[in-house]
Amino acid sequence: MKKRFNISALLIVAILLLVNFICRRNCKAETAALDVSPMASHENLEERDIVIVQFVSASVVGTYMRNFHENEKHLLLHLNKAALLICSPISDVLDVQRHLITALNWTHVASYSHIHQYTNGTIEEYVSPRGIRILFQAMHVNLPPKVLQNHQIKPSCAGRTFQISYALYSGAVFSHHILQLPIIDKFKVFVKVDADLTFTQDVSFDIGQKMISQGCSVMHSVLEAVWSGCEDGNLEAIRTFAASTGAQQPLSDSYEWCNKDMQGKSTSSIIYGNFMGYSRDLIQRIRPLASWLYYEWQMGYFVNRWGDQGASIAFVCYALDIPDITNDQKVCDFSKLRSNEFIHAG
C-alpha cells in the first residue's frame, strides 16, 4: 500500500513539473511576441530650453497644416534645445493625426508614459523631415462640474455670445489644462503659439535663450489696454482665491496696470494671447491659482469669456511684483515680431 502511494505521488509531481515547464516555455514565447517591456517615462526625456505649445482641434487642423512648413522654416528651425508640443482633444485625435503626422511625413520616435488626469496616459514623440522634435499629447478636456450643472451659462463679451466649447478651447485649455501637465516641467520656457499664426520671416534670435538669459518670467508680443470687457473680474477672482485659500495676495495689486482705477475688480492691461510665454518657475507658482480659476470661478472663462488673456495677465499680477509692466526686466517684450515676423489670420 505504501509503495503504491509513493508511485502515485511521484506521478503527480512529474505531471506538475511537466505542466510548469510547458507553461513557462509558452509564457516566454508570448512575452517575446508581445514585447511587454515597460514603457519609458516622460521623466526620461532630456530637459530642454523651450517648448512651443499649440492646441490643435479638428476644426483648425487644416489651417495648422497649411501654416506648418512656414512656421517650421521661420521659427522652429531658429530655436536650440527646443521641442514642439501639440495637444489635441481625445475626440479629435484620429482626424488630427491623419492630417498632421501622415500628411506631413513625421516619423515616430518613441512613446512615453505620461500619467495625469488630462492625458490618455502616454505622450508620443515624432521628428519632422527637417529634424524638428515634436511631442503629441492626446488630452481629456472636459468642462468643470459647476459649469456642466449650470445649463444657463452663456459666455459673452464685446457684444457677442460664444459657444461653451469656444470658451473652453480659446481660454481654459492654455491657462489651465496644459499648464498642469508634468511634461511642461521638462522645459525652462513655455511659449504659446496660436494655430492660426503664420511666421513669414525668420526670427533673428532664439526666443528661449533670450528669455532665459534676461531672466524673464513672462513674454508678450503686445500689451493692450482693456477695452472689450472680456477680462472682467480677473483681479476680483485672484483676490477671492487668496482670501478663500489663505494664499498670498496679488503682488502687483497696488499698481494701476493690475488694478484698474484702484477698484479691485479688473486689470487695466492685457497680454494679447496668440503669442506669449512663461518661465517654468512662474508656471509652477501659479498652478494652484490656475486650477482654482477653472473649477471655482465660473464668471471667468464661462461667463465673461476670458479667453486666455483674462487669466494670463492675472497670473502676472498675482505672482510678480512689477510696478511698471511696460518696463521691467522680468517681462520680455517681443512686440517687434508682431510688426515684422508673423501675421495672425484670426
Side-chain angles (χ1 to χ4, degrees):
M1 185 73 158
K2 186 176 180 181
K3 184 177 180 181
R4 187 178 301 169
F5 173 79
N6 288 341
I7 292 172
S8 298
L10 287 172
L11 281 171
I12 291 171
V13 171
I15 292 170
L16 288 174
L17 288 172
L18 179 62
V19 169
N20 183 57
F21 171 77
I22 293 171
C23 178
R24 290 179 64 185
R25 186 180 65 179
N26 289 344
C27 287
K28 286 181 180 178
E30 289 175 6
T31 300
L34 293 174
D35 187 19
V36 293
S37 56
M39 183 183 296
S41 167
H42 76 278
E43 292 286 355
N44 294 345
L45 288 165
E46 176 190 4
E47 181 176 285
R48 296 200 169 214
D49 285 350
I50 182 172
V51 60
I52 302 294
V53 183
Q54 299 186 287
F55 184 75
V56 182
S57 63
S59 63
V60 300
V61 69
T63 299
Y64 184 84
M65 186 173 64
R66 289 190 296 273
N67 292 341
F68 179 78
H69 289 306
E70 289 297 299
N71 291 342
E72 181 181 42
K73 174 183 176 182
H74 296 302
L75 172 65
L76 300 176
L77 289 172
H78 298 270
L79 302 172
N80 295 307
K81 298 187 70 176
L84 170 65
L85 171 62
I86 297 175
C87 298
S88 184
I90 283 179
S91 59
D92 294 357
V93 162
L94 292 179
D95 194 22
V96 171
Q97 288 182 326
R98 176 172 57 84
H99 278 86
L100 297 186
I101 297 167
T102 304
L104 296 175
N105 197 29
W106 295 347
T107 301
H108 187 261
V109 175
S111 300
Y112 302 92
S113 65
H114 189 213
I115 309 300
H116 191 271
Q117 69 184 91
Y118 297 143
T119 74
N120 66 341
T122 63
I123 188 166
E124 307 296 331
E125 182 178 9
Y126 297 87
V127 64
S128 76
R130 286 178 167 178
I132 298 300
R133 182 190 187 198
I134 301 158
L135 299 170
F136 187 91
Q137 181 63 68
M139 295 188 67
H140 296 286
V141 184
N142 300 318
L143 292 167
K146 288 185 177 181
V147 173
L148 287 171
Q149 294 162 12
N150 187 346
H151 302 294
Q152 305 303 315
I153 284 185
K154 293 182 179 180
S156 62
C157 69
R160 296 177 57 194
T161 299
F162 300 84
Q163 296 291 326
I164 284 281
S165 59
Y166 182 83
L168 177 65
Y169 287 174
S170 68
V173 165
F174 277 106
S175 294
H176 170 62
H177 297 83
I178 296 177
L179 293 184
Q180 306 294 334
L181 297 180
I183 192 69
I184 298 302
D185 290 336
K186 301 297 290 185
F187 301 90
K188 297 176 184 178
V189 168
F190 167 110
V191 171
K192 176 207 173 191
V193 177
D194 272 3
D196 58 355
L197 216 64
T198 307
F199 282 78
T200 57
Q201 297 183 45
D202 290 352
V203 176
S204 60
F205 60 94
D206 187 317
I207 293 169
Q209 285 293 322
K210 180 73 171 177
M211 288 186 67
I212 293 167
S213 64
Q214 187 173 317
C216 292
S217 295
V218 63
M219 177 274 284
H220 69 83
S221 59
V222 67
L223 281 170
E224 291 186 334
V226 170
W227 60 272
S228 66
C230 297
E231 298 78 26
D232 282 356
N234 57 352
L235 176 57
E236 180 184 5
I238 58 177
R239 280 184 164 190
T240 304
F241 163 76
S244 63
T245 64
Q248 68 175 42
Q249 290 295 318
L251 295 182
S252 288
D253 197 313
S254 61
Y255 310 128
E256 166 64 23
W257 70 265
C258 172
N259 191 344
K260 184 178 182 181
D261 299 326
M262 307 310 292
Q263 293 183 355
K265 293 293 184 182
S266 305
T267 61
S268 65
S269 299
I270 60 168
I271 295 171
Y272 201 68
N274 62 2
F275 180 66
M276 52 88 61
Y278 306 116
S279 69
R280 176 170 57 194
D281 176 67
L282 180 63
I283 290 172
Q284 292 172 344
R285 290 164 63 189
I286 56 90
R287 274 175 172 155
L289 170 60
S291 281
W292 188 91
L293 291 176
Y294 182 68
Y295 285 108
E296 303 298 332
W297 192 260
Q298 293 183 52
M299 297 298 293
Y301 301 111
F302 303 107
V303 175
N304 292 326
R305 215 290 287 170
W306 277 358
D308 48 18
Q309 296 169 175
S312 59
I313 195 72
F315 295 156
V316 179
C317 173
Y318 173 78
L320 301 177
D321 185 351
I322 299 177
D324 183 359
I325 197 170
T326 65
N327 183 25
D328 193 281
Q329 187 174 354
K330 294 185 288 292
V331 181
C332 274
D333 181 353
F334 293 164
S335 55
K336 70 174 186 177
L337 298 180
R338 181 176 293 275
S339 303
N340 302 312
E341 276 80 7
F342 72 79
I343 56 175
H344 183 208

